[in-house]
Structures are given as C-alpha cells and as structure tokens.
Amino acid sequence: MAWHRAPRPGLPRDRAPRRPRHPRGSRGTPPAPRASRVKSRLRAAHTAPATAYGRTHMNKAELVSAIAKRADVPASTVDSVLAGLQDELVDAITRGEKVAVPGLITVERTQRSARTGRNPQTGESIDIPAANAVKVTAGSNLKKAASSVPV
C-alpha cells in the first residue's frame, strides 16, 4: 500500500492511511520514556521475585485449588469452608470479639478516637470522627516464614 496524504477512493477523509511514525522520532533520538514506564521499571526492581505465575499474589481460586490439592479434598469443600470462615470472621468482628488462630493470625476490632487532621491541598483543619477499624496481626509461623526469605 502506498503511503500518501490523499485518501483512497471510497475511504472517508478520516479513514485515510497515515504515514507511520518512526519510533525514534524525526531526529533519530529515542523518545523520552513515559512516567508510567519509568514507575513500572522502578516498581519491578523493588518488588519480591515473581511466582511461577509471573506475579507475587495468589487469588482465591488459586488458594482453593492449592488447599484442595494439599488436603486431598474436593475444591468445592475448601471453597465452602473459606466462605464459612469469612462469614464467621465478619460476625465475630461485628460482635466485637477477637479471633485468634495460634501461630497463624489474630483479627480484632479496634476503636480510633476522633482527631483533627489537615486537608493536604488547602491546609484547612478538618475534624475526623471516631471510627472502628480491623487489626490483623500475623502469628509466629507467618513471621518466621517471612523472615526466612532472603531480601
């Protein structure tokens, strides 16, 4: 296909072929890197090594299949157990109870008192009301696992 400014017969003006841009710009110099590319390179350099899936997190479906494989039970059973755990944690936090699984995790509700903050854009003082929050603490087994991995 020949590159020219005039549209081909039958093509509207806005669909006319355009001259391809050279990736190095008109002067032969490389284009300036976009901020998003620079940030992603910096982020990649400071993150933990990727897992076998090319990322550093595990979603619920992967967690369910890993537990099902390890415990040799159907994935549907593991999924229903996780749903029950979620429901029970939500109910316990609503009641104000502390849930502890020794060596693994502790979940509890905490109260944040009212305080005065500042709007960072205007510097204006604002009143932040009291609120409830959830505090999650890692157990000793999780702490040991995290500290055993080299930095």
Side-chain angles (χ1 to χ4, degrees), residues 90-114:
V90 168
D91 291 344
I93 293 300
T94 304
R95 292 188 304 263
E97 296 176 358
K98 179 178 179 179
V99 179
V101 180
L104 184 64
I105 196 168
T106 302
V107 181
E108 62 184 310
R109 185 176 74 189
T110 60
Q111 292 180 349
R112 291 186 181 165
S113 59

Side-chain angles (χ1 to χ4, degrees), residues 60-82:
K60 183 180 176 184
E62 293 167 347
L63 178 64
V64 166
S65 67
I67 293 172
K69 195 178 295 184
R70 186 174 291 223
D72 196 28
V73 294
S76 60
T77 303
V78 175
D79 193 37
S80 63
V81 167
L82 281 180

Side-chain angles (χ1 to χ4, degrees), residues 118-147:
R118 291 205 175 270
N119 182 338
Q121 291 181 341
T122 63
E124 175 188 359
S125 292
I126 56 173
D127 292 327
I128 302 172
N132 290 322
V134 176
K135 179 180 175 184
V136 180
T137 307
S140 59
N141 291 342
L142 284 181
K143 290 178 182 178
K144 284 178 192 173
S147 65

Side-chain angles (χ1 to χ4, degrees), residues 46-71:
H46 292 92
T47 56
T51 61
Y53 298 107
R55 57 182 195 249
T56 58
H57 67 279
M58 179 184 286
N59 63 26
K60 183 180 176 184
E62 293 167 347
L63 178 64
V64 166
S65 67
I67 293 172
K69 195 178 295 184
R70 186 174 291 223

